Amino acid sequence: MASAAIFSSLRRRRSPSLEAFLVPVDLSEVALLETLISVSGDVVSCFSDNRFPFQRRNSRALVGKVEIFRSMLECLRDSADGGVLNPTAALCLKELYLLLYRSKILLDYCARSSKLWLLLQNHCVSGHFHDLSQEFSTLLDVFPVGEIGLSDDVREQAELLRRQSKRAKLFIDKKDDALRTRFYWFLDEFESGRVPDSKDLRCFFVDKLQMLDAKSCRVEVEALEEQIVNHEGDVEPTVPVLNGMVAITRYCRFLLFGFEEEFEIEIQKRARKRLITQEIAETFFTVPKDFCCPITFDLMCDPVIISTGQTYDRRSIWRWMEEGHCTCPKTGILLSHNRLVPNRALRNLIMQWCSAHGVPYDPPEGVDPSVEMFASACPSKASLVANRETAMLLIQQLADGSQVAKTVAAKEIRLLAKNGKENRAFIAQAGAIPHLRKLLSSPNAVAQENSVTALLNLSIFERNKSMIVEEGCLGSIVEVLQFGHTTEARENAAATLFSLSAVHEYKKRIADNVGAVEALAWLLQEGTQRGKKDAVTALFNLSTHTENCLRMIEAGAVKAMVLALGNEGVSEEAAGALALIVRQPVGAMAVVREEAAVGGLIGIMRCGTPRGKENAVAALLELCRSGGAAATERVVRAPALAGLLQTLLFTGTKRARRKAASLARVFQRCENASLHYGGLGVGYAFASDSASTRNTTNFVSDVSLPMSISVPVL
């Protein structure tokens, strides 16, 4: 018999349907016949009338074999001896169960997989059908047909099936193989920098593959992207070929079917999303606990498994990792890697639960970050050329299309700019930025959100930052931050400012833009957790420019960051920004005026992250140095600071220990410090022996912030 690994690999490329996890597996003799009849009946009923896109002849032949086995099993059940089996027959029937079940998986795979994937796997999948045929023949060779109560006609059918299966040869459909060759020709054309004629593409995709609308192309793209996620390095086709397939199919989607239909799909998605929020709010307490993300406690749309075996919603756990955490939120165990594995079994169960309870289910959109990393690491000339042609179509619609077409084009540019610096480079060079800037002021919420997110994704490529700023986008981005139609639009505007502020000369320009700092401060106080994160990282970048200090004080950013010290998700960055601001006397005085400032920094020293503790002790040290006697007195009299500093001196990071030692020396120079802290000076002196002196060479060198955090592509 063939190895079970054959179909385990199929399952990795395309998850079987939910029945694969729920099918009865009781193979006791009492239930054996009924189980086999049930499985064979499912195969016949599900696939006898199914029109397979490819492997039609092999699929029909396999369904015919299963139908003969079902007749044989029913006859055996209804025989005079009541289906009592001898040991050989029972053993054969148990093996038959495995073959029937593998047949079901293979047929389901052919019915549901990407058409292009099946086409390129034509020889391999044909081999699976041939292997099954041979194994049915081997089973019938040893099956005691004459010793069980079968009628003459059923026995003749079984014998005929045995002989036919034994003589069967590997069948590869020549028409399917010709289509496979044709697609490789398209791939070679794009690889050579030539774009095939639109008539040839229409003939192939519409007439041959029966992709009759934009929706079918989109489904095909999503299925191919799933293959990229589950791809194994030693399996054909290679990742560059898969990337080329995705890019060519996406190009044909817009070349052949335009943009209008996609807008209707987008509107329907957003309507479903609003319904989901309302329905979940009404039925939250009835949602099974295992269906809710342990981080947000919301129903999971895209459950994934991390290295510790725990399941989270993809967006929630990705944000958690993006924030610099390297442990499992639920167990606290250190993550061995950042790979997110889709939990498709749970996702299918959630979908069934939603269907049963009338709750709309919002499936995950687009590609997950692991796809982005994998795809961008394996670019091919064909995918680059196809993506460039797609970008040209999209930009043409941004310039001359209807409002609907512009909205769809902005979304697709946003998605195209997710993957790879090459895509971001040629989208900007082709002139997309001025058109996206115009859409920022659109009254259409969908258009505005997609355009600002597209600019965010484009800004990740360093050369595009100057193009975005020089095109005059800053003012429009700030307006979206202030008055955006949706929460996501405002959050993504803040993230765009953070990305642009990575260039030092733009920090002052952003801060001088009327309303920019005020809007960031408001978002830090009133936004969602993600919005607060985007706002505080942007404010941190702005605070590294010395000339922005007074502007940030006037705009209320200092007060917002002091309040943010109590928010675990953003306290680390808020403390880092304050440590920079208090280096200037005017900044120190502004922080001293905030009653909660010192207490908030002390709180981070008590239970913050290692980086947060570094930033907090640095802020207190700089406050003493720049704020004068009043600021020093307030820090000195802070309750519990002595014990926290003592702990930090021995358990903190190298930078934190250095800062703590410096702060101890400041206290020792104060007349009342020795009375307030008693014998603590010995510990400080011991730690300061190995501490370096104050580093004043770089304005931000002593503030720790996880600046390796990349701007998320959305």
Side-chain angles (χ1 to χ4, degrees):
M1 301 293 174
S3 168
I6 290 177
F7 291 110
S8 68
S9 64
L10 290 180
R11 284 192 287 272
R12 281 195 294 272
R13 286 186 190 80
R14 178 84 188 184
S15 297
S17 57
L18 187 61
E19 293 90 329
F21 301 98
L22 303 180
V23 70
V25 291
D26 182 3
L27 297 182
S28 64
E29 290 189 15
V30 175
L32 180 57
L33 280 174
E34 292 298 332
T35 300
L36 288 169
I37 291 171
S38 174
V39 174
S40 58
D42 285 345
V43 172
V44 173
S45 62
C46 291
F47 301 109
S48 59
D49 296 327
N50 197 315
R51 183 169 177 78
F52 294 89
F54 301 106
Q55 298 292 338
R56 297 183 185 91
R57 176 170 162 179
N58 283 329
S59 299
R60 286 197 301 267
L62 181 57
V63 172
K65 290 182 178 69
V66 173
E67 194 161 13
I68 292 174
F69 274 105
R70 185 181 65 168
S71 300
M72 186 175 70
L73 294 166
E74 289 175 344
C75 182
L76 182 59
R77 179 192 59 187
D78 300 335
S79 63
D81 57 9
V84 177
L85 303 173
N86 61 46
T88 303
L91 185 63
C92 288
L93 291 182
K94 289 178 181 179
E95 184 66 27
L96 177 61
Y97 171 84
L98 297 176
L99 292 179
L100 291 175
Y101 196 53
R102 286 170 54 196
S103 300
K104 183 177 180 180
I105 292 175
L106 180 57
L107 291 168
D108 184 71
Y109 178 80
C110 292
R112 296 174 181 268
S113 287
S114 151
K115 293 180 179 180
L116 283 173
W117 175 259
L118 279 177
L119 204 59
L120 298 191
Q121 290 285 306
N122 191 34
H123 289 238
C124 178
V125 176
S126 297
H128 292 320
F129 280 103
H130 181 66
D131 289 344
L132 271 174
S133 178
Q134 294 302 299
E135 292 186 50
F136 277 125
S137 172
T138 303
L139 177 68
L140 288 170
D141 281 341
V142 298
F143 195 88
V145 176
E147 300 175 16
I148 55 178
L150 296 178
S151 61
D152 292 341
D153 57 335
V154 172
R155 197 160 42 244
E156 289 175 3
Q157 283 184 334
E159 178 59 26
L160 179 61
L161 176 61
R162 185 187 67 80
R163 290 198 303 269
Q164 288 177 341
S165 299
K166 200 161 193 171
R167 293 196 305 266
K169 296 181 180 179
L170 174 67
F171 175 76
I172 297 175
D173 192 301
K174 293 182 179 179
K175 292 182 179 179
D176 293 353
D177 221 36
L179 287 177
R180 176 174 174 271
T181 302
R182 181 63 169 168
F183 182 77
Y184 270 113
W185 179 83
F186 286 131
L187 203 62
D188 288 341
E189 286 292 286
F190 278 100
E191 193 75 29
S192 303
R194 298 184 294 270
V195 180
D197 186 84
S198 60
K199 292 182 180 179
D200 293 335
L201 291 170
R202 177 177 292 278
C203 177
F204 180 79
F205 280 91
V206 178
D207 299 339
K208 303 298 184 182
L209 298 189
Q210 291 296 296
M211 295 185 193
L212 304 177
D213 51 30
K215 180 181 178 181
S216 60
C217 285
R218 179 168 48 81
V219 170
E220 184 72 15
V221 167
E222 291 171 356
L224 288 171
E225 287 171 338
E226 183 180 348
Q227 302 298 343
I228 294 176
V229 175
N230 299 314
H231 190 273
E232 297 177 2
D234 58 345
V235 177
E236 292 292 337
T238 62
V239 171
V241 170
L242 285 173
N243 284 332
M245 293 164 64
V246 170
I248 293 171
T249 307
R250 184 183 289 116
Y251 169 64
C252 291
R253 166 183 166 186
F254 296 106
L255 176 71
L256 303 178
F257 302 112
F259 296 80
E260 304 293 325
E261 183 179 352
E262 288 299 302
F263 181 72
E264 297 301 323
I265 294 172
E266 176 71 13
I267 294 300
Q268 292 169 11
K269 278 187 176 181
R270 288 182 170 267
R272 284 200 306 269
K273 192 171 184 179
R274 287 194 295 270
L275 283 173
I276 288 168
T277 304
Q278 179 182 352
E279 290 285 343
I280 295 302
E282 294 173 356
T283 63
F284 177 80
F285 293 106
T286 66
V287 177
K289 182 181 178 181
D290 291 341
F291 292 177
C292 297
C293 177
I295 297 176
T296 63
F297 302 105
D298 292 332
L299 185 71
M300 289 185 279
C301 292
D302 191 9
V304 293
I305 304 169
I306 63 174
S307 63
T308 61
Q310 299 293 326
T311 295
Y312 299 91
D313 194 59
R314 183 185 298 280
R315 180 163 183 170
S316 301
I317 192 61
W318 189 252
R319 295 292 298 183
W320 169 268
M321 294 176 178
E322 225 176 26
E323 290 168 5
H325 299 288
C326 55
T327 58
C328 172
K330 192 171 182 180
T331 65
I333 299 173
L334 192 67
L335 300 178
S336 60
H337 57 78
N338 287 350
R339 174 74 172 172
L340 304 179
V341 180
N343 191 337
R344 296 187 182 88
L346 180 58
R347 192 171 86 183
N348 286 333
L349 290 171
I350 292 174
M351 290 173 63
Q352 283 211 343
W353 181 88
C354 289
S355 176
H357 290 80
V359 177
Y361 178 74
D362 190 26
E365 175 188 343
V367 189
D368 61 79
S370 60
V371 179
E372 294 165 20
M373 291 185 290
F374 199 19
S376 61
C378 307
S380 66
K381 179 68 179 298
S383 62
L384 291 177
V385 172
N387 284 336
R388 185 176 290 111
E389 293 299 318
T390 303
M392 297 303 296
L393 288 176
L394 297 173
I395 294 169
Q396 182 180 350
Q397 291 300 316
L398 282 179
D400 306 321
S402 64
Q403 187 59 43
V404 169
K406 289 179 180 179
T407 301
V408 174
K411 176 190 174 184
E412 294 303 323
I413 285 178
R414 159 199 157 192
L415 296 176
L416 198 60
K418 288 173 67 173
N419 299 326
K421 64 180 182 180
E422 296 87 357
N423 288 355
R424 295 175 188 127
F426 65 66
I427 289 173
Q429 291 168 1
I433 292 174
H435 302 300
L436 292 171
R437 180 181 63 80
K438 293 177 183 177
L439 277 183
L440 292 176
S441 58
S442 170
N444 186 310
V446 179
Q448 183 188 72
E449 183 180 315
N450 283 320
S451 58
V452 73
T453 310
L455 287 172
L456 167 60
N457 292 346
L458 290 173
S459 72
I460 297 172
F461 185 57
E462 288 300 314
R463 295 179 185 175
N464 288 347
K465 297 184 193 295
S466 60
M467 297 178 66
I468 292 172
V469 173
E470 298 309 319
E471 283 290 344
C473 295
L474 269 184
S476 300
I477 293 170
V478 171
E479 287 181 5
V480 175
L481 176 63
Q482 293 175 298
F483 313 112
H485 300 309
T486 66
T487 301
E488 284 203 4
R490 294 192 292 271
E491 291 173 348
N492 292 346
T496 308
L497 292 181
F498 164 58
S499 176
L500 297 174
S501 64
V503 180
H504 186 72
E505 63 184 275
Y506 297 152
K507 294 173 183 177
K508 186 72 166 59
R509 293 178 65 172
I510 293 172
D512 289 342
N513 213 290
V514 178
V517 180
E518 288 87 348
L520 288 171
W522 178 89
L523 190 62
L524 179 55
Q525 295 179 78
E526 306 295 337
T528 65
Q529 192 64 23
R530 177 193 159 193
K532 291 178 179 180
K533 187 74 173 180
D534 292 330
V536 76
T537 48
L539 288 171
F540 177 89
N541 267 12
L542 297 182
S543 67
T544 61
H545 197 296
T546 55
E547 296 181 26
N548 286 341
C549 182
L550 185 60
R551 180 75 190 90
M552 295 180 73
I553 295 170
E554 294 171 346
V558 170
K559 180 177 181 179
M561 286 187 287
V562 168
L563 294 174
L565 294 175
N567 187 317
E568 183 182 353
V570 296
S571 59
E572 183 179 300
E573 294 85 352
L578 289 174
L580 297 174
I581 289 173
V582 297
R583 290 193 172 195
Q584 299 184 58
V586 64
M589 294 305 298
V591 172
V592 168
R593 287 194 295 269
E594 297 294 333
E595 292 292 331
V598 173
L601 293 169
I602 294 293
I604 296 175
M605 288 181 62
R606 179 181 294 110
C607 55
T609 64
R611 282 197 184 98
K613 292 177 181 179
E614 288 179 16
N615 293 344
V617 71
L620 290 173
L621 175 61
E622 296 302 332
L623 191 59
C624 292
R625 287 173 172 168
S626 304
T632 303
E633 180 71 13
R634 178 170 292 187
V635 173
V636 166
R637 293 188 179 278
L641 180 60
L644 292 171
L645 276 175
Q646 184 73 25
T647 301
L648 198 59
L649 283 165
F650 294 101
T651 64
T653 63
K654 182 178 179 180
R655 182 182 287 115
R657 293 197 303 270
R658 186 176 73 244
K659 291 297 181 182
S662 298
L663 186 54
R665 290 194 294 272
V666 172
F667 290 159
Q668 289 170 347
R669 289 195 295 267
C670 296
E671 184 178 357
N672 298 325
S674 60
L675 296 175
H676 187 70
Y677 287 99
L680 185 60
V682 176
Y684 286 144
F686 174 78
S688 65
D689 288 342
S690 61
S692 63
T693 58
R694 179 182 180 185
N695 184 352
T696 59
T697 58
N698 190 311
F699 187 70
V700 296
S701 63
D702 290 333
V703 177
S704 175
L705 185 72
M707 295 307 293
S708 60
I709 294 176
S710 60
V711 178
V713 286
L714 303 168

